[in-house]
Amino acid sequence: MRRVADIIREHQDDIVRLWTAKATRAASARGLDEPELKNIMPTYLASLSSGEPLGSPTATRRKHVESHVAARLRQGFHVAEVVEEFALLGRCISMMWATAPREERPDVAEVEQLFSELHGASAAVIELFSEHLQDDEQTEKRYLRLIQKVASEALEVEAASLRERLTEVLELVMEALGAQGALLLLNETEQRKLIMVASAGVAKEALARYVPALEAMPLAAQVSESVDDPGLSPEDAEATTLEVNEDLRRSDVQALLGLRLATHHALIGVMCVGISTARDFTARERRRLESLGEQLTVHLDNAKLYSDLRAKVAALQSERELRERFVSVLAHDLRGPLSAARVGAQLILRRPEMLDERRELARRIDQNIARTDRMVTDLLDANRIRAGQRIALQLSPCDLDGIAREVIEELSTAHGERFLLEATEQVRGNWNADELRRALWNLATNAVKYGASDAPVTLTVSRTEQGARASVHNVGRMIPRAEQEQLFKPFSRTRSAQAGLAKGWGLGLTLVWGCAQAHGGKVIVESEDAAGTTFSLELPPDSAPYQPRA
């Protein structure tokens, strides 16, 4: 009888060659690339022939098994595949004496010890895999907790800071996968376009340049909402190996994995990670990316819902404020002239003998009713503008410098000689005189309210290449650029205006904007500390082409 150790030592090369062939076929049948089979298994095989008793793994052989399992984990093997490798090794060893004469075979006790040894190795494989899976699960939970923490905090920050927080999320994903670069694109719902919001790692610039190619891939398709929609569904959201271009390779990204972030109703975005090794991503890496991506999708969807909710709350708050201001207008500003007209009418009825005084009372009544009518007209026109409608115009030949002169004469009776008119020539066009008068009156009134009290207000009327321009300039505090965009909204007033003594509805500039739009023109504001503030109303020579058809 021969000893098992002697047979292994004599036929070691044959055993390794036979085992390599069988293990390679098994790996290929599972769709795996040819693994590095001649790394640790030959060393483990040699340890079986060292002379140490078989049956219970020694510290040396246990170390070889651990090294083999670690290598297979890096290559993405499953536990059953590694256990099968040790079973194959046992069959390959036994084949060395299968056809030998009885006297050349080992005795049954030694064969049992060999397979007991291999069984112990398989048990060690299962134990090591279990420990790895537990550690892997805890590691993944840690990254999920960190992503949840960052995403939750991101809900409370401004849009400018959100990009930084999403970069933190990408850095966590990179750390979890041992990647060298990562990219996150979010879906812009209105434009139906992917927008890059964050990138991280050594290759973030190259990944940013990769975005146009990424947008053309099926990975970036919109989520289907019906069977007729050719887009993808959330079930298609699996990690996908992407093509690596030369630019990425130069930036040390040799393999790229992409993941669609999608819910059942929308495509949230796309995430990509790149590694510096030219290899396939393992099943473990894919699963981890999908798990982290699923968690990130939930948080991004919640962030979008939260943002939409805040926008709706802000809109409702704005609507409430508008209603409150409208009620305030009705209760105070309109009540004043109506009360004055009512008192005047009562005096006429009670004292008919005072003919001269009745004429003056009648004039005041007419003025207050006309003032009330203007307020109601302003409110109605502002409401039309806010609803997206244009002010209706009745056009006729107008003298713009003449209108400006009339406005100055009217305002001078109330504010004194504070107004200057600069008009070197007559400027005429086909416009609506009443609307232009109201627009210039509002601009000049604002200039008096918010400009320096010791500086003049200048109205300038001139011809331009496109038509005509009427400008109102005052010296005073600059209007911040952030507030200039809000000036023309109904009931909108700057912070400095709200803090000052001057009162108003916040409709004047809205009506100026509506006048410019109805005429086919525009209104421009320029404001600097040194130069003061200028509002310019620019008009075409003929506004008829800009009127809606009946």
Side-chain angles (χ1 to χ4, degrees):
M1 295 288 180
R2 298 192 62 187
R3 298 179 63 234
V4 169
D6 294 336
I7 296 174
I8 293 175
R9 191 179 306 110
E10 181 180 344
H11 297 282
Q12 181 168 346
D13 291 342
D14 295 332
I15 295 171
V16 169
R17 192 179 306 110
L18 182 61
W19 179 86
T20 300
K22 290 181 177 294
T24 300
R25 285 196 297 271
S28 300
R30 297 185 180 94
L32 301 173
D33 292 336
E34 182 176 345
E36 298 177 5
L37 297 171
K38 294 183 179 180
N39 48 9
I40 299 166
M41 192 60 80
T43 305
Y44 173 75
L45 180 65
S47 70
L48 295 178
S49 63
S50 63
E52 294 182 279
L54 300 176
S56 57
T58 63
T60 301
R61 291 198 287 263
R62 170 78 182 196
K63 182 178 179 180
H64 292 329
V65 171
E66 290 175 353
S67 299
H68 185 72
V69 169
R72 290 302 185 249
L73 283 171
R74 289 193 298 271
Q75 295 165 353
F77 275 57
H78 294 299
V79 59
E81 294 166 346
V82 183
V83 169
E84 176 65 16
E85 286 186 333
F86 282 92
L88 278 176
L89 182 65
R91 290 198 291 271
C92 291
I93 293 173
S94 64
M95 290 175 67
M96 295 300 102
W97 63 74
T99 58
R102 181 179 295 274
E103 61 273 11
E104 295 294 324
R105 301 178 188 177
D107 61 25
V108 174
E110 277 209 18
V111 172
E112 288 181 352
Q113 289 176 350
L114 169 66
F115 282 98
S116 176
E117 177 77 33
L118 294 175
H119 178 75
S122 297
V125 168
I126 295 173
E127 178 186 349
L128 291 169
F129 260 88
S130 297
E131 292 176 358
H132 170 77
L133 289 176
Q134 289 177 0
D135 292 342
D136 193 53
E137 182 179 357
Q138 293 303 316
T139 301
E140 188 167 306
K141 287 181 178 179
R142 170 178 168 266
Y143 286 115
L144 290 175
R145 285 196 303 270
L146 290 174
I147 287 178
Q148 182 176 3
K149 179 177 181 292
V150 173
S152 299
E153 292 174 352
L155 291 177
E156 307 298 331
V157 301
E158 299 177 354
S161 302
L162 178 60
R163 190 180 294 261
E164 297 178 6
R165 305 316 304 266
L166 290 177
T167 301
E168 290 181 37
V169 171
L170 288 185
E171 291 171 349
L172 288 172
V173 173
M174 287 171 52
E175 182 182 341
L177 273 75
Q180 281 67 50
L183 177 70
L184 179 63
L185 310 178
L186 293 185
N187 185 25
E188 179 60 47
T189 307
E190 295 181 359
Q191 302 178 13
R192 292 182 69 85
K193 182 181 179 181
L194 289 170
I195 304 295
M196 190 190 82
V197 295
S199 59
V202 295
K204 60 182 181 181
E205 288 83 6
L207 285 169
R209 294 191 294 270
Y210 188 74
V211 170
L214 188 62
E215 290 175 337
M217 297 180 185
L219 189 75
Q222 299 291 326
V223 174
S224 297
E225 296 182 358
S226 68
V227 293
D228 299 325
D229 191 334
L232 301 179
S233 66
E235 285 72 18
D236 299 311
E238 297 180 353
T240 305
T241 303
L242 304 178
E243 181 181 353
V244 178
N245 59 25
E246 190 60 34
D247 186 23
L248 287 173
R249 289 193 182 93
R250 287 195 298 268
S251 301
D252 202 27
V253 170
Q254 308 301 323
L256 193 63
L257 193 64
L259 181 70
R260 298 177 69 247
L261 308 176
T263 65
H264 284 280
H265 59 273
L267 173 68
I268 301 297
V270 172
M271 180 169 58
C272 300
V273 294
I275 56 176
S276 59
T277 307
R279 62 172 176 82
D280 282 344
F281 285 85
T282 66
R284 168 180 164 271
E285 290 170 331
R286 292 172 181 271
R287 185 192 59 76
R288 175 167 286 184
L289 181 62
E290 290 167 3
S291 177
L292 297 176
E294 181 180 357
Q295 184 81 352
L296 180 58
T297 300
V298 171
H299 291 302
L300 289 173
D301 193 37
N302 287 342
K304 185 178 184 305
L305 293 174
Y306 182 66
S307 176
D308 292 344
L309 179 61
R310 286 199 299 185
K312 289 180 179 178
V313 169
L316 290 173
Q317 181 70 18
S318 177
E319 289 286 344
R320 189 180 72 176
E321 291 176 357
L322 284 175
R323 286 196 300 269
E324 290 175 352
R325 296 193 67 180
F326 187 78
V327 170
S328 176
V329 165
L330 293 178
H332 297 90
D333 293 344
L334 292 182
R335 179 180 292 175
L338 288 175
S339 297
R342 179 183 178 187
V343 169
Q346 289 175 346
L347 287 174
I348 290 175
L349 291 174
R350 292 173 183 172
R351 304 178 68 181
E353 70 281 359
M354 301 180 65
L355 180 60
D356 293 337
E357 292 184 10
R358 278 190 294 173
R359 288 194 182 96
E360 178 61 23
L361 288 172
R363 187 184 65 79
R364 292 180 183 176
I365 291 171
D366 182 66
Q367 285 181 339
N368 282 291
I369 291 176
R371 181 184 171 196
T372 304
D373 182 66
R374 286 197 301 270
M375 290 180 180
V376 172
T377 301
D378 288 353
L379 282 171
L380 292 175
D381 285 344
N383 189 58
R384 290 190 186 97
I385 294 169
R386 184 170 176 271
Q389 301 174 12
R390 294 168 69 104
I391 298 174
L393 300 181
Q394 293 292 330
L395 302 178
S396 62
C398 294
D399 184 355
L400 186 57
D401 55 301
I403 294 172
R405 190 171 290 106
E406 291 174 10
V407 170
I408 287 178
E409 290 174 357
E410 182 181 351
L411 290 175
S412 294
T413 60
H415 302 286
E417 302 299 324
R418 292 191 56 188
F419 301 93
L420 298 177
L421 175 62
E422 294 182 357
T424 58
E425 58 182 330
Q426 190 178 50
V427 180
R428 297 183 63 83
N430 190 28
W431 304 310
N432 183 285
D434 292 336
E435 287 298 328
L436 293 178
R437 187 177 295 107
R438 180 170 67 172
L440 292 180
W441 190 92
N442 282 327
L443 289 176
T445 302
N446 278 355
V448 172
K449 285 181 181 179
Y450 307 117
S453 59
D454 57 349
V457 173
T458 305
L459 277 72
T460 304
V461 177
S462 60
R463 293 186 184 274
T464 65
E465 293 182 1
Q466 291 75 29
R469 178 188 295 118
S471 301
V472 178
H473 173 266
N474 69 278
V475 177
R477 184 178 300 176
M478 181 187 74
I479 303 174
R481 295 189 182 276
E483 295 184 7
Q484 290 180 18
E485 297 179 0
Q486 308 295 322
L487 286 175
F488 302 102
K489 294 183 178 180
F491 299 105
S492 176
R493 303 179 72 207
T494 64
R495 293 181 180 178
S496 58
Q498 294 175 18
L501 299 176
K503 303 299 181 182
W505 291 1
L507 296 181
L509 292 179
T510 300
L511 297 171
V512 173
W513 183 87
C515 172
Q517 183 195 46
H519 281 90
K522 59 183 177 180
V523 60
I524 301 172
V525 57
E526 298 172 293
S527 187
E528 300 292 343
D529 274 330
T533 299
T534 302
F535 284 88
S536 299
L537 182 64
E538 297 193 350
L539 303 168
D542 184 5
S543 295
Y546 302 96
Q547 304 311 300
R549 294 181 179 179

